[in-house]
């Protein structure tokens, strides 16, 4: 099932401010080069993180690449097209502790989706419980 890309998200790429554009280019360049990377977007609330994420998701999905959008809270997940909570997408136990593991089998469709994805986005990652 494909995810509908809102028309305004295509245009978001053209409206990125300097900082957003810097992050966008760094992430897209890494993906284009086939490299791996972990990027942490650390800015105050209301400064355009979601705007950047939506531009990234639209850019990759418009090229038929898989970009997975997750967030710690359901509210943040819901404002990204195709967004799911990280707990749901990565099958993280809700009452997890230091020894708990994701309940995802390697053969599952969910695991295959993650393997094929070019971008795994986790909004509000630091808000996840200590055990995660
Ligand atoms: N480059 C931009 N051009 C136009 N509008 C923008 C731009 N960046 C952000 N905005 C707008 O500014 C507002 C705040 O941006 P956004 O919701 O992306 O911030 P946020 O960092 O995700 O906020 P929060 O931390 O509260 O989730 C939104 O209305 C968004 O559409």
């Amino acid at each position: 099932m494909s995810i509908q890309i809102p028309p305004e998200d295509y245009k978001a790429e053209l409206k990125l401010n300097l900082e957003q554009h810097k992050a966008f280019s760094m992430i897209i360049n890494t993906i284009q080069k086939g490299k791996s990377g972990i990027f942490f977007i650390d800015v105050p609330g209301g400064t355009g993180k979601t705007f950047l994420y939506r531009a990234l998701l639209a850019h990759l999905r418009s090229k038929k690449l898989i970009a997975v959008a997750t967030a710690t809270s359901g509210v943040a997940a819901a404002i990204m097209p195709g967004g799911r909570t990280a707990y749901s997408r990565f099958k993280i136990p809700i009452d997890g502790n230091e020894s708990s593991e994701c309940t995802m089998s390697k053969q599952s469709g969910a695991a295959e989706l993650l393997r094929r994805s070019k971008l795994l986005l986790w909004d509000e990652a630091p808000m996840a419980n200590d055990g995660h």
Side-chain angles (χ1 to χ4, degrees), residues 2-20:
S2 66
I3 296 166
Q4 293 294 316
I5 307 170
E8 66 268 25
D9 288 4
Y10 285 118
K11 295 180 195 150
E13 183 179 337
L14 304 171
K15 294 185 186 170
L16 297 175
N17 65 29
L18 206 64
E19 288 297 300
Q20 289 167 328

Side-chain angles (χ1 to χ4, degrees), residues 30-43:
T30 303
I31 294 169
Q32 277 173 349
K33 286 178 189 159
K35 290 186 177 172
S36 301
I38 298 176
F39 301 90
F40 191 76
I41 311 290
D42 184 20
V43 288

Side-chain angles (χ1 to χ4, degrees):
M1 197 180 77
S2 66
I3 296 166
Q4 293 294 316
I5 307 170
E8 66 268 25
D9 288 4
Y10 285 118
K11 295 180 195 150
E13 183 179 337
L14 304 171
K15 294 185 186 170
L16 297 175
N17 65 29
L18 206 64
E19 288 297 300
Q20 289 167 328
H21 192 262
K22 215 163 116 184
F24 181 94
S25 301
M26 202 178 285
I27 294 167
I28 294 297
N29 285 342
T30 303
I31 294 169
Q32 277 173 349
K33 286 178 189 159
K35 290 186 177 172
S36 301
I38 298 176
F39 301 90
F40 191 76
I41 311 290
D42 184 20
V43 288
T47 52
K49 293 182 297 295
T50 309
F51 197 89
L52 167 66
Y53 301 155
R54 294 180 69 118
L56 284 165
L57 294 169
H59 180 93
L60 294 169
R61 288 170 176 169
S62 69
K63 297 182 185 317
K64 306 285 178 221
L65 297 172
I66 297 177
V68 172
T70 75
T72 301
S73 77
V75 174
I79 57 175
M80 291 185 284
R84 295 268 297 271
T85 63
Y87 300 95
S88 159
R89 180 59 78 202
F90 303 130
K91 307 274 186 253
I92 302 169
I94 299 286
D95 53 354
N97 55 49
E98 282 173 12
S99 60
S100 43
E101 296 174 353
C102 295
T103 56
M104 188 187 296
S105 88
K106 283 183 189 166
Q107 291 77 29
S108 65
E112 182 60 17
L113 177 83
L114 299 184
R115 274 193 294 272
R116 288 174 51 199
S117 68
K118 296 292 177 194
L119 176 71
L120 296 178
L121 209 157
W122 186 340
D123 192 14
E124 304 173 324
M127 281 172 58
N129 291 346
D130 287 350
H132 299 125

